Amino acid sequence: MNIILLGPPGAGKGTQAQRLVERHGMRQLSTGDMLRAAVKAGTPVGLQAKAVMERGELVSDAIVSALIGEELDSMGPDAGAIFDGYPRTEAQAASLDDILAQRGRKLDHVIELAVDEDALVERITGRYTCAQCGKGYHDTFEQPKQLGVCDKCGSTEFKRRPDDNEETVRTRMAEYRAKTAPILPVYEARGIVARVNGMAEMDHVTAAIEKIIAG
Ligand code: ADP
Ligand code: ADP
Ligand code: ZN
């Protein structure tokens, strides 16, 4: 199974991908996570991407498509893939077709998380993650059961992304509208797009996605 989670920043792609990983043992392929790891490690890719990400603009298609190819090659041929935050441009969508075909994979579903833009700034500015295991949280919408202690791993260290501020979010939303939304019609023409109400409660969103992948 190969699926794309598509939606603007804060739509819930990472949240839902983490749940699919836990329930189905699929792999989450998040170019955002890969790029942040590269920035942290100070690799050549990281050095190139850092300032672009801080501005909320898009990193080059060649860089992210190379990262996706490498990640797929590190997986078993039968492991399911959830693409989270990739593809983000028409060029990336075309690259993904090649990358999958070269590995004997095919795209099963493109799941669009539809959300009101007004809600996204609040989602993004309240977002934080466990510094140890990466589990996602939110100041208002998803606190750990015991405040300050990660539900999943017990860590008491959390972090926030430098680009999760209101100004950058506006740029990221504009990038989504201009460059990412236009890839939807391409997939719609293939009849593989399913739309989910991303404004619903997290559990309801998960249930809707489960229904789609169950066929
Ligand atoms: P979000 O899910 O909040 O939109 P991501 O973690 O997916 O954020 O991405 C963070 C930043 O990393 C983006 O603003 C962009 O600069 C860069 N990035 C991530 N994925 C891609 C991609 N597929 N193409 C280009 N840039 C990307
Ligand atoms: P994306 O990966 O699409 O950028 P995230 O999954 O990181 O988005 O979600 C952004 C923030 O909103 C997180 O803090 C998350 O806990 C919260 N969130 C995700 N889905 C929902 C939802 N359905 N309702 C309320 N808050 C949500
Ligand atoms: Zn944790």
Side-chain angles (χ1 to χ4, degrees):
M1 172 90 52
N2 299 282
I3 66 176
I4 294 174
L5 293 180
L6 198 69
K13 304 179 297 292
T15 301
Q16 298 301 328
Q18 286 186 346
R19 290 176 173 208
L20 294 175
V21 167
E22 274 170 27
R23 288 160 183 239
H24 301 291
M26 298 173 77
R27 269 276 278 274
Q28 175 187 8
L29 290 89
S30 159
T31 40
D33 286 349
M34 294 173 207
L35 290 167
R36 280 184 288 280
V39 169
K40 199 173 166 201
T43 65
V45 163
L47 294 175
Q48 239 182 296
K50 187 169 188 282
V52 179
M53 294 171 76
E54 278 168 0
R55 289 197 299 273
E57 294 167 8
L58 294 183
V59 173
S60 82
D61 293 330
I63 286 183
V64 292
S65 292
L67 289 172
I68 285 285
E70 284 165 26
E71 190 85 354
L72 272 175
D73 287 336
S74 76
M75 298 167 46
D78 300 326
I82 309 155
F83 298 96
D84 161 12
Y86 179 94
R88 259 179 159 94
T89 64
E90 289 173 271
Q92 291 177 27
S95 293
L96 181 60
D97 285 340
D98 293 340
I99 288 169
L100 290 174
Q102 283 158 8
R103 291 160 180 82
R105 289 175 177 264
K106 80 166 217 318
L107 209 47
D108 297 285
H109 303 283
V110 176
I111 300 175
E112 182 196 2
L113 295 173
V115 278
D116 300 342
E117 279 211 1
D118 301 341
L120 297 178
V121 172
E122 187 185 11
R123 284 213 191 161
I124 294 274
T125 53
R127 165 161 70 182
Y128 65 98
T129 55
C130 172
Q132 199 65 44
C133 74
K135 160 105 184 67
Y137 292 101
H138 191 281
D139 291 326
T140 310
F141 305 126
E142 196 185 14
Q143 290 285 24
K145 287 183 189 70
Q146 190 185 340
L147 209 60
V149 183
C150 177
D151 291 339
K152 198 175 155 194
C153 77
S155 167
T156 54
E157 264 185 71
F158 298 88
K159 59 184 183 187
R160 287 175 196 266
R161 282 166 44 180
D163 60 339
D164 276 351
N165 58 72
E166 183 158 356
E167 197 194 329
T168 309
V169 172
R170 303 270 173 211
T171 306
R172 286 155 61 197
M173 286 183 341
E175 289 280 71
Y176 180 82
R177 263 195 308 265
K179 296 174 185 163
T180 309
I183 70 182
L184 261 168
V186 176
Y187 292 128
E188 261 156 15
R190 294 186 206 169
I192 54 172
V193 176
R195 201 155 191 252
V196 166
N197 175 16
M199 295 306 293
E201 275 175 38
M202 282 177 222
D203 290 349
H204 293 168
V205 178
T206 307
I209 293 174
E210 291 283 4
K211 216 170 148 189
I212 293 161
I213 61 181

